[in-house]
Amino acid sequence: MSAGSAAPVVLVGAGLAAWTTARELRKLDASVPIVLVTRDSGDFYAKPTLSNAFGQKRSPEQLVTTPAAAMAANLQITLHTHATVQSIDTQAHTLSLQQSGSVRTLAYSRLVLATGATPIRVPIAGDAAQVVQRVNHLDDFRRLYADVAALPKRADGSPPAVLVVGAGLIGCEFANDLSQAGFAVQVVDPAARPLAALLPEDASTQLRQALEGLGVVWHFGRSVQSLDASADGAHRYEATLSDGTRLGADLVLSAVGLRADTALAASAGLACQRGVLVDAHLQTNAPDVYALGDCAQYSAAGGRTLPYVMPIMNAARALAASLAGTPTALVFPLMPVAVKTPALPITVAAPDPVLQGQWIQDPATTGGHEGGAWRFIDAAGAQRGFVLTGKQTAKRMEWSKATLP
Ligand SMILES: Cc1cc2nc3c(=O)[nH]c(=O)nc-3n(C[C@H](O)[C@H](O)[C@H](O)COP(=O)(O)OP(=O)(O)OC[C@H]3O[C@@H](n4cnc5c(N)ncnc54)[C@H](O)[C@@H]3O)c2cc1C
């Protein structure tokens, strides 16, 4: 290590992964110098609130729970905001940082990459394709919020039309939130049903019906081919779907998934596949360089990326312990995710996609007001996942205990 152990632990990023690692490390070591570098403002907010803020009438400013400067002061760390890490020299243990037009070099003793993920862009043709919004950061939400606020009142008093592209987790959450906030929401997805990758068919049906109850209109088995300025003036844009259907929209939000942000890591020679590859100690293939959060692909999860809050909390605690001098292997517990669709609350403990098995509905749960409960049983007969909807979500703890991670 040429930079010397007096050099700080440097964290790249200011999302949940970087801030939680900083907080956990500071709990264990009051004196180790910590530097956090981020290309955004660094303000702390809970990203999951981005997809239920409209319904709760919360502005982007109200979503910030602690400004960056207060976070830095509380944790006694040095903060570089609006600063982009351009390259890493893993031999020299240095990185190059661009801030306010100038570039400088920063030494690290240990480096933690928490660079997050980037929304996937599906190609859409047409003269209005550039207006499609994607929300994965507070700054994205600021843009969406400003656009929503600027939507003109419609002459006939009908609500503005929002087109959501993607019926996955984020798409369904936004569909629920924007409907609740009074918009006319339509959702387009090539799959046959909402949350098709996560839910058994009957649970999907419950979610579809619950969101239809709020006025959501679905267009399954189709994709958006093009988006153009509207010719008739009834809406701002007109989307053409793969089957030729035309839909009017005043705002278009794409939520078709995320891709781990690996560009910086890959350019430094770190091994990457769907994310930055890390071993059970969150270590990359370069000495003293670690990764976690949405950018990481975990050997502790059988080589999966896990872009959710609970994996980050677990990974940050294990990494902080290792950085503080107690090498700690990451072992993920079962980590159910609560889908924020108040029209039908859902808790999902998704089985590993490589597992063979089948979903079986608990016969005591029939849907409707009582909700439903499904267990995923693997080929050996063990419960390896579950889905709870509606009132059944109260059984989350009990069902977690009965499920193998
Ligand atoms: C709308 C929405 C709702 C969600 N809801 C839920 C939920 O209900 N439950 C759940 O479990 N999960 C949810 N998630 C997922 C969860 O929020 C994320 O997994 C988590 O916030 C990711 O945190 P992160 O720190 O890894 O990445 P990010 O928050 O993306 O942070 C990455 C950071 O890296 C910085 N950065 C990147 N490159 C550089 C560079 N070169 N130089 C300097 N800085 C850089 C960025 O500026 C940013 O600060 C949701 C996600 C979204 C988008």
Side-chain angles (χ1 to χ4, degrees), residues 147-282:
D147 234 33
V148 165
L151 284 176
K153 289 261 181 300
R154 297 169 56 75
D156 61 2
S158 62
V162 178
L163 180 61
V164 176
V165 184
L169 199 93
I170 308 295
C172 286
E173 291 186 350
F174 270 112
N176 194 141
D177 195 43
L178 291 161
S179 304
Q180 202 181 322
F183 297 94
V185 176
Q186 311 210 51
V187 183
V188 178
D189 195 299
R193 53 193 177 89
L195 288 183
L198 282 181
L199 300 185
E201 193 165 343
D202 291 348
S204 269
T205 302
Q206 285 185 12
L207 178 62
R208 179 174 60 70
Q209 291 169 344
L211 291 181
E212 280 170 2
L214 292 181
V216 171
V217 177
W218 305 99
H219 301 274
F220 289 118
R222 281 162 277 182
S223 56
V224 177
Q225 302 271 285
S226 60
L227 186 70
D228 294 281
S230 173
D232 65 9
H235 295 94
R236 294 160 100 191
Y237 313 112
E238 186 177 70
T240 305
L241 308 190
S242 46
D243 66 348
T245 304
R246 290 170 188 266
L247 303 176
D250 299 303
L251 197 115
V252 184
L253 177 64
S254 172
V256 296
L258 297 174
R259 188 167 291 129
D261 204 333
T262 56
L264 175 65
S267 71
L270 303 183
C272 300
Q273 290 173 357
R274 289 184 307 285
V276 184
L277 290 171
V278 292
D279 67 14
H281 291 85
L282 286 317

Side-chain angles (χ1 to χ4, degrees), residues 44-388:
F44 187 79
Y45 70 104
K47 191 181 283 194
T49 58
L50 298 183
S51 50
N52 63 7
F54 283 108
Q56 297 181 0
K57 297 189 170 28
R58 295 174 76 188
S59 68
E61 284 61 42
Q62 288 169 326
L63 298 183
V64 173
T65 52
T66 316
M71 289 292 290
N74 292 344
L75 297 174
Q76 304 269 291
I77 69 172
T78 303
L79 184 63
H80 299 289
T81 60
H82 303 292
T84 300
V85 175
Q86 291 185 312
S87 60
I88 302 163
D89 183 336
T90 58
Q91 293 290 316
H93 280 60
T94 59
L95 51 81
S96 109
L97 187 69
Q98 186 181 50
Q99 193 178 24
S100 309
S102 59
V103 177
R104 63 200 166 103
T105 300
L106 199 64
Y108 63 82
S109 59
R110 275 79 48 84
L111 177 66
V112 177
L113 298 178
T115 51
T118 308
I120 292 171
R121 288 172 177 259
V122 287
I124 294 178
D127 59 25
Q130 79 288 348
V131 307
V132 176
Q133 305 227 17
R134 294 160 192 87
V135 176
N136 186 44
H137 281 116
L138 186 58
D139 289 341
D140 303 330
F141 183 72
R142 282 200 175 93
R143 275 188 290 277
L144 178 69
Y145 191 83
D147 234 33
V148 165
L151 284 176
K153 289 261 181 300
R154 297 169 56 75
D156 61 2
S158 62
V162 178
L163 180 61
V164 176
V165 184
L169 199 93
I170 308 295
C172 286
E173 291 186 350
F174 270 112
N176 194 141
D177 195 43
L178 291 161
S179 304
Q180 202 181 322
F183 297 94
V185 176
Q186 311 210 51
V187 183
V188 178
D189 195 299
R193 53 193 177 89
L195 288 183
L198 282 181
L199 300 185
E201 193 165 343
D202 291 348
S204 269
T205 302
Q206 285 185 12
L207 178 62
R208 179 174 60 70
Q209 291 169 344
L211 291 181
E212 280 170 2
L214 292 181
V216 171
V217 177
W218 305 99
H219 301 274
F220 289 118
R222 281 162 277 182
S223 56
V224 177
Q225 302 271 285
S226 60
L227 186 70
D228 294 281
S230 173
D232 65 9
H235 295 94
R236 294 160 100 191
Y237 313 112
E238 186 177 70
T240 305
L241 308 190
S242 46
D243 66 348
T245 304
R246 290 170 188 266
L247 303 176
D250 299 303
L251 197 115
V252 184
L253 177 64
S254 172
V256 296
L258 297 174
R259 188 167 291 129
D261 204 333
T262 56
L264 175 65
S267 71
L270 303 183
C272 300
Q273 290 173 357
R274 289 184 307 285
V276 184
L277 290 171
V278 292
D279 67 14
H281 291 85
L282 286 317
Q283 179 139 21
T284 67
N285 61 318
D288 301 313
V289 182
Y290 302 81
L292 81 166
D294 283 8
C295 70
Q297 185 178 336
Y298 300 101
S299 71
R304 275 182 290 165
T305 57
L306 291 173
Y308 301 108
V309 170
M310 288 307 292
I312 289 175
M313 307 307 279
N314 282 281
R317 276 193 290 270
L319 178 55
S322 295
L323 294 173
T326 307
T328 301
L330 171 61
V331 179
F332 283 120
L334 190 82
M335 297 173 290
V337 174
V339 184
K340 301 186 299 299
T341 43
L344 180 75
I346 301 176
T347 299
V348 187
D352 188 328
V354 301
L355 277 178
Q356 298 290 319
Q358 57 175 328
W359 287 104
I360 296 174
Q361 183 164 13
D362 181 343
T365 67
T366 54
H369 285 305
E370 294 308 310
W374 293 259
R375 52 186 101 243
F376 185 85
I377 305 297
D378 71 11
Q383 182 166 323
R384 303 298 295 270
F386 65 82
V387 169
L388 302 170

